[in-house]
Amino acid sequence: MSPHLSYNPRNAMMRTAGSLLLTILLQSATAPDPVAAMAGRLDLAMYKATIKGLTQFGDRRQGTDRNRAAVDWIEAQLKSYGCANTERIQYQYTSQQIRPAAPRADGRGAAPASAVRPTPPTMEGGGRPRGVRAATGVNVDPELQADLKLREVNAQPDTPGLREEVFCTKVGTTHPEEMYIVGAHMDGHGYGEAANDDGSGTALVMELARVFSSPDVQTDRSIRFILWNNEETGLNGSSAYVAQRQSLQGKENPPGSGNYPEPKWLGMIQHDMMLFDHGAPRADGTVSKEQRPEADVNVEFQVSSKLAEQSQALAWVFEKANEKYATDYPASVGSHMTNTDSGPFQDIVPAISLREAERGTQIGMGWDPQWHQPTDVFAMYDDKDFRLGLNAAQTTLAAIAQLTGATLKQ
Ligand SMILES: [Zn+2]
């Protein structure tokens, strides 16, 4: 042993700091990105199975037994994922849908007379329309469902009265008093299976609830997964939520308990029709049978809302998350969010929606021929369609994981 090598505390400290730094560098080089790991837990087969599960309740029209059975089923699924503390919002809905007195002699019900329609100067939400405008509308004639078994499932008309919608919450570890709301509407109409509108968005939210509820996932902030009812009748379920709970935000109840029944809203993210992006209608009003290769996830905010700037910033977080974590399809940001459950939130909190196409200028122009029609059934879609919905799920999962500080326990 060299007599010159005596203990020097400063050198020892440097060596320790050096090896610590090396350890950190090695870990960050080898440790998997928790967001990528979580996004990897989303799976096409599981996403499809959840949509399929929802279609057993037909079009899930609000105010019917099939709608109530779907709410029960969704709640049971959420519990089985570990999102155990489910709750329900209750409200009254007193209107009733008018159905045709009898099937029309020509059997065409509410089908529009022409496949191509004149175009207004602006669409709902304020966007400028381009190209051919194909027929859109809501089918209100049960007899137009060719599948007799499905017609039977959808037979009961809606009646006015009490409505319920279910949610569950992932409670944040360091900031349980703040949350992001991740939503989709579980009701549909049109006498199909509401597979795309909005089984696809509902299944997306349920799959995210599954991943985030895994025991090894921890988030700093809370996340509420909610499946709105009565979207199709005018956003009644989401409006009831805002009316009942806006003033409860951020309040600890009981005081000192650490429980926040309504964490402060940090953002509202809605998912509505996630599967079908086959492009614009052609001159004859028809739409391609194939998902277009350039299909994208449309992230929209409303430029005329009070919080347009903050909502736009939120939209770009989603676009960036898509670039990094979505496997197949890109995201596009648009400024004309409309006719969706994030609307009642847009002047209160940053609010965006994710969709297969822009709601105003694309869906409104007839890009989705199944929209509110008896043809919105599971069998109508192939894996390229379902994969667009999965990519939207990857996008929201990654964005929310980043926004809430999600980590995976070793
Ligand atoms: Zn919808």
Side-chain angles (χ1 to χ4, degrees), residues 361-375:
T361 59
Q362 298 179 345
I363 301 293
M365 291 285 284
W367 284 37
D368 188 336
Q370 286 77 244
W371 186 38
H372 300 159
Q373 297 302 311
T375 49

Side-chain angles (χ1 to χ4, degrees), residues 174-187:
T174 56
H175 288 284
E177 77 285 3
E178 296 180 349
M179 72 170 172
Y180 286 88
I181 304 173
V182 176
H185 72 88
M186 52 71 61
D187 68 310

Side-chain angles (χ1 to χ4, degrees), residues 121-137:
T122 48
M123 304 302 289
E124 284 179 288
R128 183 177 160 191
R130 317 269 182 178
V132 171
R133 187 182 186 207
T136 58

Side-chain angles (χ1 to χ4, degrees), residues 213-228:
S213 299
S214 172
D216 65 346
V217 173
Q218 196 168 297
T219 59
D220 292 338
R221 289 179 165 74
S222 300
I223 312 166
R224 179 154 292 172
F225 304 97
I226 186 157
L227 291 317
W228 311 111

Side-chain angles (χ1 to χ4, degrees), residues 185 187 196-198 231-232 270-273 339-340 355 371-372:
H185 72 88
D187 68 310
N196 187 23
D197 186 10
D198 188 21
E231 191 273 349
E232 299 290 8
Q270 173 74 358
H271 304 82
D272 195 353
M273 304 166 72
N339 289 73
T340 198
R355 211 182 269 268
W371 186 38
H372 300 159

